[in-house]
Amino acid sequence: MKQIDVLVIGGSAAGIVAATTARSFYPDRKVMLIRKEEKVLVPCGIPYMFGTLGGSEKNVVPDQVLSGAGVDLVVGEAVSIDQEKKTCSLADGSVLQFEKLVLATGSTPVQPGWLPGTDLENVFFIPKNKEYLDNQSIEFESCNKVVVIGGGFIGVEMADELVKAGKDVTIVELLPHVLSLAFDEELAMKAEEALRKRGVKIVSGRKVQKIVGDGKVSAVLLDDGETLDADAVILSVGYQPNSELAKNAGLGVNDLGFIRVNEYMRTENPDIFAVGDCAEKFSFITRTPKRTMLASTSCAEARIAGMNLYKLSTVRSFTGTLSIFCTAIGDEAFGAAGVTENLANERGFEVVTGLFEGIDRHPGSLPDTHVQIVKLIASVDSGIILGGEVYGGSSVGELTNLIGFIIQNRMTVDAVLTSQIGTHPLLTAPPTAYPLIKAAESIARKRIG
Amino acid sequence: MKQIDVLVIGGSAAGIVAATTARSFYPDRKVMLIRKEEKVLVPCGIPYMFGTLGGSEKNVVPDQVLSGAGVDLVVGEAVSIDQEKKTCSLADGSVLQFEKLVLATGSTPVQPGWLPGTDLENVFFIPKNKEYLDNQSIEFESCNKVVVIGGGFIGVEMADELVKAGKDVTIVELLPHVLSLAFDEELAMKAEEALRKRGVKIVSGRKVQKIVGDGKVSAVLLDDGETLDADAVILSVGYQPNSELAKNAGLGVNDLGFIRVNEYMRTENPDIFAVGDCAEKFSFITRTPKRTMLASTSCAEARIAGMNLYKLSTVRSFTGTLSIFCTAIGDEAFGAAGVTENLANERGFEVVTGLFEGIDRHPGSLPDTHVQIVKLIASVDSGIILGGEVYGGSSVGELTNLIGFIIQNRMTVDAVLTSQIGTHPLLTAPPTAYPLIKAAESIARKRIG
């Protein structure tokens, strides 16, 4: 029986980072990563395989990331774990003995049981599976009309890429706007505007009743009786954690199906950790359980697990999931961190918001100047920033991360208002009207008023 | 005699923000801004008037910024202040009575007394003066060979713009590298490489002995006897604070010539504030007096003065200048916040650094992917991040601001290492190899090693 110090199950972002961090902080330990897939896709790059990247080959994580860090890679399927013996059995019958185990088993697209017709030909999901998606790519070639069910990030990005590839694309979203979990109405409507400008049709506030077809999909029937013709349907209505392996081994799983972990990403068994989409999540702000699955959060969890494997550190622990999103639709980009105004209200916070619309270069006469909007959501009692939303150009990703750091540091509106920033004509908004600061100013005025 | 609640002297970034913030937080007060200039230039946009913007007209701050906020604008020159009577006399003989006064008198290019030849024709400075610069633009048209003395940000940006306009440009820098005050050697050399690629010649580690010419400049003589032919010379060897008005009024001025202020930006007279290039500065990190003049810092100071005019707030005070710079050379961008490794060592800190080179999109096969480098400088005793430097593409400005927030929050390496970020293929580095986090990881490994 093979002896391994640290065994990691799962080869996507969380697994890779857990394994390489373990090697980095415990260089004397032998670390092995097992994964099912021959090749692993960059998860967030998946929508871009259908247009911008022109296929999946350019979206493969190079195994050099693992080999370069001294992580042993095994392609195989873990079928069971024995907590007592500290062993993991593989599908090929071999058994591995571990000292520490990290579960990074990921997630699978939700198959909506309530929806008839999901088993028709040309009804697709977006799993992180290269073979499935390669095959889907081929099938898409003969399709013209595509209906995307679910207007979250995956749905929106798929729609935008497929329209770029010449398809006729409609998004159907149950909520009043696409991306409603990440953005309040102001920015969600801007995203819809951007999508429509690119040729994507949006049907929102409507429920799909049935996917229609005879063997193969031919249409999507909405709750009000309207029918949308479709050669293909993409179902992007969420993902569920892959926690069966853990559950079968007797590890605790929460009501949402995620493997229970504490702030060191440790399961109920001190030698077993879980990270990424399969691991339990709590909101940094609202402290309620969350379903948000993001590669970036997964990597933060994985780093924390990797560092705490052999000795716990209170300053290297996880303090709750701060959802930080960003995406681009054409040359327009959207980002959000923390809670939306809607969610804050729903969870019982009393909030005050500020929004400022400016530009992301200065003077605005410079080429490539883009409108930039920042909305901040702050707690009335403490003035602490609970969330932020950003619209703009290519700097939106890092500006959203900046807001993420503001929230993680529990900065108040006054702290932001007195903060120093750097500005440059070609790279940022003007110092006199930097939207983040102006949004904070707008809140400060309301709080004193 | 005209009675004004808040009188602001100076119409550039600091003056504008002080005046508009005063109106915003004290809407019942009458605010007047006096400035000498008919039209005010966006200060950081000045270098770009010589190439990208094609003139100064597109680089004018619209007066609507003031009128829209209800600030009265007077074009005129303040010649003296009477502290006792609380009056300000203008060059036209009129006298204004104020309740609160904000000095935002700015800075003037240093005229190096030690250097012969600075009075020759075609020796130029870069003052924030539209008329002077418009005239200089015209003179430039007939010049081919330009020598820029001083390789700070202004010198580098001017050189890059003039080369773009077809000139033969050489930068002469006393220190071993250009931009040495903002960057350590690794990134300073990258900036030099970028400049050379664009056609700028660099002569560094050499001193100018004399500007040579008969009436008009013809060459620049270096200390080792080498002569550089020149039709024009740009002197960008620093700026000095305009503090005569304050000094003559009896207000305290420090050894470097800046108007003394406390953390509320108040001078020794509780009714008089000073902000921007003319106001005293201390380093956020090293606590020593500083000469750094930045529009962005000026605006932070001005906001603080504006909010504290009528009532002081301990949570709306200034905690020291954190130099945050960024600039672009072609499509390569450079940013820095806090101290460099060199400066930290010089001031007596024991530091440990980490540097990571990655990419700013993922997968790297995406169009417009740019190399991204982050260097972090941390204190050995506390692990607190003291500085950071960034190289990359269009997201460098906001990524540098993010590092600025890390420093202002006195975050430790561990805090950064466990922070959550958001990532997106088209907008950021990959979550598995986000250079900021990887640089922190590299420091953490060294500290435990």
Side-chain angles (χ1 to χ4, degrees), chain B residues 27 29 37 45 48 52 93 107-108 119 131 134 155 174 202 211 213 239 242 284 292 339 344 371 377 427 436 449:
Chain B
R29 306 291 174 159
E37 306 79 11
Y48 302 98
T52 312
S107 59
T108 313
D119 52 349
E131 266 171 76
D134 281 347
L174 184 65
I202 299 168
I211 303 174
Y239 289 75
N242 295 332
F284 180 85
T292 315
V339 294
V371 167
I377 297 113
L427 299 170
L436 173 72

Side-chain angles (χ1 to χ4, degrees), chain A residues 24 316 398 401 414 422 434, chain B residues 316 398 401 414 422 434 445:
Chain A
S24 172
R316 293 179 176 166
E398 300 306 355
N401 280 330
D414 281 327
Y434 187 73
Chain B
R316 292 179 177 166
E398 299 306 354
N401 280 330
D414 281 327
Y434 187 72
R445 279 203 317 263

Side-chain angles (χ1 to χ4, degrees), chain B residues 152-174:
Chain B
F153 282 95
I154 306 272
V156 161
E157 291 172 359
M158 282 297 299
D160 187 42
E161 284 290 297
L162 290 173
V163 123
K164 213 171 143 183
K167 311 292 180 198
D168 174 330
V169 185
T170 306
I171 297 177
V172 184
E173 168 58 48
L174 184 65

Side-chain angles (χ1 to χ4, degrees), chain B residues 19-33:
Chain B
T20 54
T21 306
R23 283 286 306 156
S24 172
F25 282 81
Y26 304 102
D28 300 336
R29 306 291 174 159
K30 255 180 82 103
V31 178
M32 178 185 282
L33 184 147

